[in-house]
Amino acid sequence: MPIVWREEMSVGVKVIDADHRHLVDIINQLEIVIQKTETTRGEREDGLRILFGRLRAYTREHFSREEGMQSTSHYKGLRENQDHHKRLIADLEDLSQRFMEGEKAAQPVGNEDMLKFLRHWLVDHIIKVDLKMRGHPIRAHYW
Ligand SMILES: [Fe+2]
């Protein structure tokens, strides 16, 4: 089931909401590729490689943008958020790598586990933690 953006997910800062929506889109595209059974092995691997690459890159870009905005806005949750971001990046790297290795991985990750991880990773961690920003005056940076 794709993640559907809901207004409750809005942190009230346009740039951050736009980033989160973009992350939702990438994860929804990953879900399609992971669940598609009628593609060839090569097509599936290419799709996964491209989308995981996009997710990893955009996550780093988003986290640094968000931390930069929090820093210039003297947001008191910055330090906690930075620690959290480090863990989220490490988890994503670990899970996506093991998933791509398939059965060859020391601890393989199956389709359902990967999908569950991605939804939880984004919705429960990123969006719920970021919701603490709601109501704080966060200045937007566009870079
Ligand atoms: Fe965020």
Side-chain angles (χ1 to χ4, degrees):
M1 283 252 294
I3 299 165
V4 180
W5 180 267
R6 300 179 303 273
E7 213 34 55
E8 306 99 84
M9 292 174 168
S10 168
V11 297
V13 184
K14 273 192 184 150
V15 193
I16 295 179
D17 282 347
D19 275 356
H20 289 165
R21 279 172 187 259
H22 189 62
L23 291 170
V24 167
D25 284 345
I26 300 172
I27 287 179
N28 285 340
Q29 287 174 48
L30 264 168
E31 180 177 308
I32 293 169
V33 176
I34 290 172
Q35 287 178 333
K36 221 179 202 172
T37 48
E38 69 272 18
T39 48
T40 65
R41 196 184 204 122
E43 269 176 356
R44 179 184 156 91
E45 276 172 17
D46 286 348
L48 292 173
R49 197 168 304 113
I50 290 166
L51 289 168
F52 275 124
R54 230 175 252 172
L55 182 62
R56 284 197 293 261
Y58 203 79
T59 297
R60 285 175 190 276
E61 187 184 324
H62 164 63
F63 286 171
S64 75
R65 179 162 32 240
E66 194 175 85
E67 288 169 16
M69 285 167 59
Q70 290 175 339
S71 169
T72 49
S73 309
H74 307 290
Y75 178 63
K76 61 176 167 33
L78 171 65
R79 193 54 212 274
E80 184 197 357
N81 210 21
Q82 282 172 325
D83 291 343
H84 197 80
H85 284 169
K86 271 188 209 138
R87 278 202 307 277
L88 288 172
I89 286 180
D91 288 348
L92 178 64
E93 302 280 340
D94 175 45
L95 264 283
S96 58
Q97 197 181 330
R98 278 159 52 200
F99 183 71
M100 290 298 291
E101 284 170 9
E103 290 303 312
K104 282 176 269 164
Q107 287 177 286
V109 179
N111 288 355
E112 275 313 306
D113 286 341
M114 191 67 225
L115 291 171
K116 233 185 270 170
F117 164 80
L118 287 172
R119 289 186 201 116
H120 185 70
W121 182 85
L122 183 79
V123 178
D124 289 357
H125 292 284
I126 301 187
I127 295 181
K128 284 184 188 165
V129 171
D130 286 354
L131 282 178
K132 292 183 190 167
M133 270 186 280
R134 242 189 208 169
H136 286 269
I138 302 286
R139 269 182 280 158
H141 281 176
Y142 298 88
W143 70 80

